[in-house]
Coordinates of all heavy atoms in Angstrom, one line a residue:
F87 N -58.3 -47.2 17.7 CA -58.8 -45.8 17.6 C -58.6 -45.1 18.9 O -58.1 -43.9 18.9 CB -60.3 -45.8 17.1 CG -60.8 -44.5 16.9 CD1 -60.5 -43.8 15.7 CD2 -61.6 -43.8 17.9 CE1 -61.0 -42.5 15.5 CE2 -62.0 -42.5 17.6 CZ -61.8 -41.9 16.4
V91 N -56.3 -41.7 19.3 CA -56.8 -40.4 19.8 C -56.1 -40.0 21.1 O -55.7 -38.9 21.2 CB -58.3 -40.5 20.0 CG1 -58.9 -39.3 20.7 CG2 -59.0 -40.7 18.7
L95 N -53.9 -36.7 21.4 CA -54.5 -35.6 22.2 C -54.5 -35.9 23.7 O -55.3 -35.5 24.5 CB -56.0 -35.5 21.8 CG -56.2 -35.2 20.3 CD1 -57.7 -35.3 20.0 CD2 -55.7 -33.8 20.0
E130 N -72.6 -42.5 22.6 CA -72.6 -42.9 21.2 C -74.1 -43.1 20.7 O -74.4 -42.8 19.6 CB -71.8 -44.2 21.0 CG -70.3 -44.0 21.2 CD -69.8 -42.8 20.4 OE1 -70.0 -42.7 19.2 OE2 -69.1 -41.9 21.0
F133 N -75.6 -39.2 20.8 CA -75.0 -38.2 19.9 C -74.6 -38.7 18.5 O -74.5 -37.9 17.6 CB -73.7 -37.6 20.6 CG -74.1 -36.8 21.8 CD1 -73.9 -37.3 23.1 CD2 -74.7 -35.6 21.7 CE1 -74.3 -36.6 24.2 CE2 -75.1 -34.9 22.8 CZ -74.9 -35.4 24.1
R134 N -74.4 -40.0 18.4 CA -74.0 -40.5 17.0 C -75.2 -41.2 16.4 O -75.8 -40.8 15.4 CB -72.8 -41.4 17.1 CG -71.5 -40.7 16.8 CD -71.2 -39.5 17.6 NE -70.6 -39.8 18.8 CZ -70.2 -38.9 19.7 NH1 -70.4 -37.6 19.5 NH2 -69.7 -39.2 20.8
V138 N -76.8 -37.9 14.9 CA -76.2 -37.9 13.5 C -77.1 -38.5 12.5 O -77.5 -37.9 11.5 CB -74.8 -38.5 13.5 CG1 -74.3 -38.7 12.1 CG2 -73.8 -37.7 14.3
L157 N -75.2 -34.7 6.4 CA -74.3 -35.4 7.3 C -73.3 -34.4 7.9 O -73.0 -34.4 9.1 CB -73.5 -36.5 6.6 CG -74.2 -37.8 6.5 CD1 -73.3 -38.8 5.8 CD2 -74.5 -38.4 7.9
I158 N -72.8 -33.4 7.1 CA -71.9 -32.4 7.6 C -72.6 -31.6 8.7 O -72.0 -31.3 9.8 CB -71.4 -31.5 6.5 CG1 -70.4 -32.4 5.6 CG2 -70.7 -30.3 7.0 CD1 -70.0 -31.7 4.3
A160 N -75.3 -32.4 10.5 CA -75.6 -33.3 11.6 C -74.4 -33.6 12.4 O -74.5 -33.6 13.7 CB -76.3 -34.6 11.1
V161 N -73.3 -33.9 11.8 CA -72.0 -34.2 12.6 C -71.6 -32.9 13.3 O -71.2 -33.0 14.5 CB -70.9 -34.7 11.6 CG1 -69.5 -34.6 12.3 CG2 -71.2 -36.1 11.2
T162 N -71.7 -31.7 12.7 CA -71.3 -30.5 13.4 C -72.2 -30.2 14.6 O -71.7 -30.0 15.7 CB -71.4 -29.3 12.4 OG1 -70.5 -29.6 11.3 CG2 -71.0 -28.0 13.0
V163 N -73.5 -30.3 14.4 CA -74.5 -30.1 15.5 C -74.3 -31.1 16.6 O -74.2 -30.8 17.8 CB -75.9 -30.1 14.9 CG1 -76.9 -30.1 16.1 CG2 -76.1 -28.9 14.1
S164 N -74.1 -32.4 16.2 CA -74.0 -33.4 17.3 C -72.7 -33.2 18.0 O -72.6 -33.5 19.2 CB -74.1 -34.8 16.7 OG -72.9 -35.2 16.0
S165 N -71.6 -32.8 17.4 CA -70.3 -32.6 18.0 C -70.4 -31.4 19.0 O -69.8 -31.5 20.1 CB -69.2 -32.4 17.0 OG -69.1 -33.5 16.2
L166 N -71.0 -30.4 18.6 CA -71.2 -29.2 19.4 C -72.1 -29.6 20.6 O -71.8 -29.2 21.8 CB -71.8 -28.0 18.7 CG -70.8 -27.4 17.6 CD1 -71.6 -26.4 16.7 CD2 -69.7 -26.6 18.3
A167 N -73.2 -30.3 20.4 CA -74.1 -30.7 21.5 C -73.3 -31.6 22.4 O -73.5 -31.5 23.7 CB -75.3 -31.4 20.9
F168 N -72.5 -32.6 21.9 CA -71.7 -33.5 22.7 C -70.8 -32.7 23.7 O -70.7 -33.0 24.8 CB -70.9 -34.4 21.8 CG -69.9 -35.2 22.5 CD1 -70.3 -36.3 23.2 CD2 -68.5 -35.0 22.3 CE1 -69.3 -37.1 23.8 CE2 -67.6 -35.8 22.9 CZ -68.0 -36.9 23.7
S169 N -70.2 -31.7 23.2 CA -69.3 -30.9 24.0 C -70.1 -30.1 25.0 O -69.7 -30.0 26.2 CB -68.4 -30.0 23.1 OG -67.4 -29.4 23.9
F186 N -63.7 -27.3 25.6 CA -64.9 -27.3 24.7 C -64.5 -27.7 23.3 O -65.1 -28.5 22.6 CB -65.6 -26.0 24.8 CG -66.7 -25.9 23.7 CD1 -67.9 -26.5 23.9 CD2 -66.5 -25.2 22.6 CE1 -68.9 -26.4 23.0 CE2 -67.5 -25.1 21.6 CZ -68.7 -25.7 21.8
V187 N -63.4 -27.0 22.8 CA -62.9 -27.3 21.5 C -62.4 -28.7 21.3 O -62.7 -29.4 20.3 CB -61.8 -26.3 21.1 CG1 -61.1 -26.7 19.8 CG2 -62.3 -24.9 21.0
Y188 N -61.7 -29.2 22.3 CA -61.2 -30.6 22.3 C -62.4 -31.6 22.2 O -62.4 -32.5 21.4 CB -60.4 -30.9 23.6 CG -60.1 -32.3 23.8 CD1 -59.1 -33.0 23.0 CD2 -60.8 -33.0 24.8 CE1 -58.9 -34.3 23.2 CE2 -60.5 -34.4 25.0 CZ -59.5 -35.0 24.2 OH -59.3 -36.3 24.4
R189 N -63.4 -31.4 23.1 CA -64.6 -32.3 23.1 C -65.3 -32.2 21.8 O -65.8 -33.2 21.3 CB -65.5 -32.0 24.2 CG -65.1 -32.7 25.5 CD -66.3 -32.9 26.4 NE -65.8 -33.4 27.6 CZ -65.7 -32.8 28.8 NH1 -66.1 -31.5 28.8 NH2 -65.3 -33.4 29.9
T190 N -65.4 -31.0 21.2 CA -66.1 -30.9 19.9 C -65.3 -31.7 18.8 O -66.0 -32.4 18.1 CB -66.2 -29.4 19.5 OG1 -66.9 -28.7 20.5 CG2 -66.9 -29.3 18.2
A191 N -64.0 -31.6 18.8 CA -63.2 -32.3 17.9 C -63.3 -33.8 18.1 O -63.5 -34.6 17.2 CB -61.7 -31.9 18.0
L192 N -63.3 -34.2 19.4 CA -63.5 -35.6 19.8 C -64.9 -36.1 19.3 O -65.0 -37.3 18.8 CB -63.3 -35.8 21.3 CG -63.3 -37.2 21.8 CD1 -62.1 -38.0 21.2 CD2 -63.1 -37.2 23.3
G193 N -65.9 -35.3 19.5 CA -67.2 -35.7 19.0 C -67.2 -35.9 17.5 O -67.8 -36.9 17.0
A194 N -66.5 -35.1 16.8 CA -66.5 -35.2 15.3 C -65.7 -36.5 14.9 O -66.1 -37.2 14.0 CB -65.8 -34.0 14.7
L195 N -64.6 -36.8 15.7 CA -63.9 -38.0 15.4 C -64.7 -39.2 15.6 O -64.7 -40.2 14.8 CB -62.6 -38.1 16.2 CG -61.5 -37.1 15.9 CD1 -60.4 -37.1 16.9 CD2 -60.9 -37.5 14.5
F196 N -65.4 -39.3 16.7 CA -66.3 -40.4 17.0 C -67.5 -40.5 16.0 O -67.9 -41.6 15.6 CB -66.9 -40.3 18.4 CG -65.9 -40.8 19.5 CD1 -65.7 -40.0 20.6 CD2 -65.3 -42.0 19.4 CE1 -64.8 -40.4 21.6 CE2 -64.4 -42.5 20.4 CZ -64.2 -41.6 21.5
A197 N -68.0 -39.3 15.5 CA -69.0 -39.4 14.5 C -68.4 -39.9 13.2 O -69.1 -40.7 12.5 CB -69.5 -37.9 14.3
G198 N -67.2 -39.5 12.8 CA -66.6 -40.1 11.7 C -66.4 -41.6 11.8 O -66.7 -42.4 10.8
L199 N -66.0 -42.0 12.9 CA -65.8 -43.5 13.2 C -67.1 -44.2 13.1 O -67.2 -45.3 12.5 CB -65.1 -43.7 14.5 CG -64.8 -45.1 14.9 CD1 -63.7 -45.7 13.9 CD2 -64.3 -45.2 16.3
Y200 N -68.2 -43.6 13.7 CA -69.5 -44.2 13.6 C -70.0 -44.3 12.2 O -70.5 -45.4 11.8 CB -70.5 -43.3 14.4 CG -71.9 -43.6 14.1 CD1 -72.5 -44.7 14.6 CD2 -72.7 -42.7 13.4 CE1 -73.9 -45.0 14.4 CE2 -74.0 -43.0 13.1 CZ -74.6 -44.1 13.6 OH -75.9 -44.4 13.4
L201 N -69.8 -43.3 11.4 CA -70.2 -43.3 10.0 C -69.4 -44.3 9.1 O -69.9 -44.9 8.2 CB -70.2 -41.9 9.4 CG -71.2 -40.9 9.9 CD1 -70.9 -39.5 9.5 CD2 -72.6 -41.3 9.6
L202 N -68.1 -44.4 9.4 CA -67.2 -45.3 8.6 C -67.2 -46.7 9.1 O -67.1 -47.6 8.2 CB -65.8 -44.7 8.6 CG -65.6 -43.4 7.9 CD1 -64.2 -42.9 8.2 CD2 -65.9 -43.5 6.4
A208 N -67.6 -47.6 17.3 CA -67.6 -46.3 17.9 C -67.8 -46.4 19.5 O -67.2 -45.8 20.2 CB -68.7 -45.4 17.3
H212 N -65.0 -45.5 22.2 CA -65.4 -44.5 23.3 C -65.1 -45.1 24.7 O -64.5 -44.5 25.5 CB -66.8 -44.1 23.1 CG -67.1 -42.8 23.9 ND1 -68.0 -41.9 23.3 CD2 -66.8 -42.3 25.1 CE1 -68.1 -40.9 24.2 NE2 -67.4 -41.1 25.2

Side-chain angles (χ1 to χ4, degrees):
F87 183 80
V91 171
L95 302 170
E130 292 308 308
F133 294 104
R134 264 56 83 181
V138 168
L157 275 177
I158 290 170
V161 165
T162 302
V163 168
S164 75
S165 300
L166 290 168
F168 170 73
S169 189
F186 172 77
V187 171
Y188 168 76
R189 274 207 185 103
T190 302
L192 189 60
L195 288 171
F196 280 127
L199 185 63
Y200 165 73
L201 292 169
L202 294 172
H212 198 142

